[in-house]
Amino acid sequence: MKKIIIASLFCVLSCMEDKKGPIPQIRPPSVDNVSANKTNESEAAKKWLIKNIESYFRTDPGNMDKAMQNITTRDYYNYKTDAMNVDIDVDGSLTLKEFQDKWRMKFDVQKAGIGVGFLITGQDWGEIKVSKCDLILEAIDDTYLFDVILIDKKYDVKYPITVSVIKNQSSFLIEDILQEVPQSD
């Protein structure tokens, strides 16, 4: 299972376009090969991610769109907004094919979470908490990939996601989320 996740992450990075040049080099996190500064930086990214995910779900429903914009890159915000609205009868919504054509060069469109919300696939939630947030990979360009599990004890649901976080000035932003949509029987 871990090999599939890591292979998917490499696919995500290989699909991302970097305006500054080639795709960043990747190194697995390790105390042996990551400087103390990088270790502190990845720990700061982890703390930021946990705090901002949990804070997002405490946001007033009328302000959730703005809250999402504040913690994501502009590209990811636009991508996820398109994914949530695929084949919905609203202005600007795309068909599945249009969505895939528009975003396939930048994101793994198979893991977009089409038709479901930001971070979780459920429409309702009680109190969302981060139960797991493990660093999977660290890229030299200050991008960090985390294996995250969100839990909602009220509804007894777990939401596994993989989140890419990028350094942004003195903070971080969510750059991508790999999100599976549960299949009904």
Side-chain angles (χ1 to χ4, degrees):
M1 181 67 168
K2 271 221 185 284
K3 289 181 182 180
I4 293 170
I5 292 170
I6 291 171
S8 295
L9 295 172
F10 278 108
C11 176
V12 168
L13 285 175
S14 67
C15 292
M16 291 180 184
E17 295 177 0
D18 182 23
K19 294 178 182 174
K20 296 177 186 170
I23 301 299
Q25 295 178 348
I26 299 171
R27 63 173 173 238
S30 164
V31 175
D32 297 330
N33 70 353
V34 178
S35 69
N37 188 32
K38 276 295 198 185
T39 301
N40 290 342
E41 194 74 31
S42 65
E43 191 60 31
K46 176 180 177 174
K47 287 178 182 176
W48 177 91
L49 183 60
I50 292 169
K51 176 185 167 221
N52 281 279
I53 287 174
E54 290 180 355
S55 176
Y56 172 80
F57 286 102
R58 290 190 304 270
T59 301
D60 178 79
N63 296 324
M64 293 192 94
D65 186 64
K66 184 68 173 164
M68 180 180 164
Q69 288 179 47
N70 290 337
I71 63 172
T72 61
T73 63
R74 183 181 318 209
D75 277 349
Y76 181 76
Y77 172 79
N78 291 329
Y79 164 72
K80 183 58 184 176
T81 300
D82 281 351
M84 290 188 289
N85 293 321
V86 165
D87 289 331
I88 293 179
D89 190 20
V90 296
D91 286 344
S93 71
L94 305 171
T95 66
L96 179 59
K97 181 171 181 355
E98 290 169 334
F99 171 79
Q100 291 170 336
D101 290 346
K102 179 178 179 179
W103 293 108
R104 87 171 97 212
M105 297 304 289
K106 201 160 207 160
F107 294 96
D108 181 354
V109 295
Q110 302 304 313
K111 309 267 184 179
I114 292 173
V116 298
F118 174 58
L119 293 166
I120 65 171
T121 57
Q123 292 183 4
D124 297 316
W125 62 87
E127 183 179 0
I128 300 291
K129 292 289 186 186
V130 177
S131 70
K132 176 182 175 182
C133 186
D134 293 338
L135 182 66
I136 299 171
L137 294 173
E138 178 180 334
I140 293 172
D141 71 344
D142 293 326
T143 300
Y144 306 93
L145 297 169
F146 293 95
D147 180 20
V148 177
I149 296 179
L150 306 177
I151 59 167
D152 185 340
K153 288 185 180 179
K154 179 179 179 181
Y155 292 101
D156 193 29
V157 181
K158 291 183 181 181
Y159 301 101
I161 54 176
T162 302
V163 182
S164 172
V165 174
I166 189 162
K167 180 87 171 141
N168 180 45
Q169 297 170 354
S170 63
S171 189
F172 301 91
L173 290 172
I174 294 172
E175 182 179 51
D176 195 6
I177 299 173
L178 300 179
Q179 191 175 24
E180 298 283 343
V181 177
Q183 302 297 315
S184 57
D185 292 330

